Amino acid sequence: MTQFIEIVLQVNGRSFPARVEPRTTLADAVRDACGQTGTHVGCEHGVCGACTVLVEGEPVRGCLMLAVQAAGKPVRTVEGLAIDGKLSDLQEAFMSTFAIQCGYCTPGFLMLASGLLEAKPDATREEIADVLSSNICRCTGYTSIVDAVVKVAAARKEAR
Ligand code: FES
Ligand code: FES
């Protein structure tokens, strides 16, 4: 008989009561129980990074973390980047540098980059490229994605 556990997920500042199985991944719970379908699921075994979200500010693979492990912890997904309908600087930069083609990988890259720039605002291009290499994009060739993140890092530095 399937066992269910009642948890509360804190996603983008909102509380979502969820009834999950012990094996339910955070990525599935965010999509199915919280309706935040911007988080994508690709490989489901930690390779592609499409499912990347921030948990307590740290980028994690949502397909490798169980929903029960994230209960009560602040989770941020791509839906949390825009404020009052205004895209974040990273989202704008992805568009202006053509870092999006099919867009399937994009939410994961945006959350990975968000976590990186919060933890290391002065990251160099090489460091940014190194971190972003953990996620897979089949369309863009990566350079434009690195360009977008470097552009935001520079703009934020300028504004400090
Ligand atoms: S779906 Fe999680 S890493 Fe690919
Ligand atoms: S834009 Fe298509 S996989 Fe990255």
Side-chain angles (χ1 to χ4, degrees), residues 48-115:
C48 73
C51 62
T52 303
V53 297
L54 300 181
V55 178
E56 297 182 307
E58 293 284 332
V60 304
R61 305 289 215 218
C63 70
L64 293 185
M65 186 173 202
L66 297 172
V68 293
Q69 292 176 293
K73 297 178 180 171
V75 176
R76 284 153 62 201
T77 68
V78 70
E79 288 88 349
L81 291 181
I83 297 177
D84 295 332
K86 186 179 185 316
L87 295 181
S88 70
D89 53 358
L90 267 172
Q91 288 169 306
E92 293 283 1
F94 268 58
M95 290 198 300
S96 66
T97 63
F98 303 101
I100 302 172
Q101 288 187 30
C102 80
Y104 199 84
C105 68
T106 307
F109 273 104
L110 284 168
M111 299 319 291
L112 182 62
S114 295

Side-chain angles (χ1 to χ4, degrees), residues 30-53:
V30 157
R31 291 177 55 84
D32 300 337
C34 308
Q36 307 296 294
T37 53
T39 297
H40 291 164
V41 175
C43 66
E44 296 186 89
H45 62 271
V47 174
C48 73
C51 62
T52 303
V53 297

